Amino acid sequence: MQPRTGAPRARTPMVAIHAVAGMVALATILVFWLSTALSEAFGSTATVVAVKTLIPWGFLILIPAMAATGGSGFRLARGRTGGKIDAKRKRMIAVAANGILILLPSAFFLAARAASDTFDTAFYAIQAIELVAGAVNITLLGLNMHDGFAMTRRRKARR
């Protein structure tokens, strides 16, 4: 066995997949949230319609990114428990539940309403719920990213 030279070990492909997929997922959700908030606050009705009808198409990016993030994260954490690993796992379960139960149905409802120019109380109530749920997911994914960076720093410091 050769002695360690002190050079950092190459990142495994799974670590890279996890990092990139997580960043893509978080960035996509941020784009959805900011587009919604800014179009509602400053845009015309046509802008709101465009944003609300385009968001479901963004699921073609978001859903694979979330699946890759979750799958790679569970694979990387295999056999490990406690601390940040358990916190990240619990947050991802909450993110997935929030997305499947609130955000996906809300996005399709709002897209249909916007496409038919139906901006009624139900539209704005669901819009408010969607913005809150989106902010929760952004926060949880941001915390997971923070913990992931902390775990990486700790691992590098041990080397």
Side-chain angles (χ1 to χ4, degrees), residues 3 11 15 19 29 31 40 46 70-71 76 78 89 93 97 99 112 115 119-120 127 137 147:
R11 295 174 77 182
V15 172
I29 294 170
V31 167
E40 288 289 350
L76 289 167
R78 188 179 49 214
R89 188 176 285 126
I93 291 168
F119 298 100
D120 56 3
Q127 182 70 72
N137 272 8
D147 283 353

Side-chain angles (χ1 to χ4, degrees), residues 3-148:
R4 289 195 93 172
T5 61
R9 190 171 54 172
R11 295 174 77 182
T12 66
M14 190 60 62
V15 172
I17 289 167
H18 185 67
V20 170
M23 286 188 268
V24 168
L26 180 56
T28 303
I29 294 170
L30 275 168
V31 167
F32 291 172
W33 197 92
L34 288 171
S35 298
T36 295
L38 293 174
S39 69
E40 288 289 350
F42 305 111
S44 65
T45 301
T47 303
V48 173
V49 170
V51 166
K52 297 317 304 175
T53 55
L54 285 173
I55 284 175
W57 288 102
F59 295 155
L60 295 173
I61 295 167
L62 178 61
I63 291 171
M66 290 296 294
T69 303
S72 61
F74 279 105
R75 172 112 189 245
L76 289 167
R78 188 179 49 214
R80 296 167 53 198
T81 59
K84 293 188 187 308
I85 296 281
D86 286 347
K88 287 180 61 129
R89 188 176 285 126
K90 287 176 186 172
R91 285 188 210 119
M92 279 308 292
I93 291 168
V95 165
N98 193 11
I100 292 167
L101 299 174
I102 298 171
L103 293 170
L104 286 173
S106 296
F108 287 116
F109 173 85
L110 294 169
R113 287 291 174 112
S116 67
D117 279 335
T118 307
F119 298 100
D120 56 3
T121 304
F123 178 90
Y124 289 108
I126 298 299
Q127 182 70 72
I129 292 167
E130 184 188 51
L131 285 168
V132 170
V136 167
N137 272 8
I138 290 166
T139 301
L140 294 174
L141 289 171
L143 289 169
N144 273 6
M145 188 174 281
H146 177 269
D147 283 353

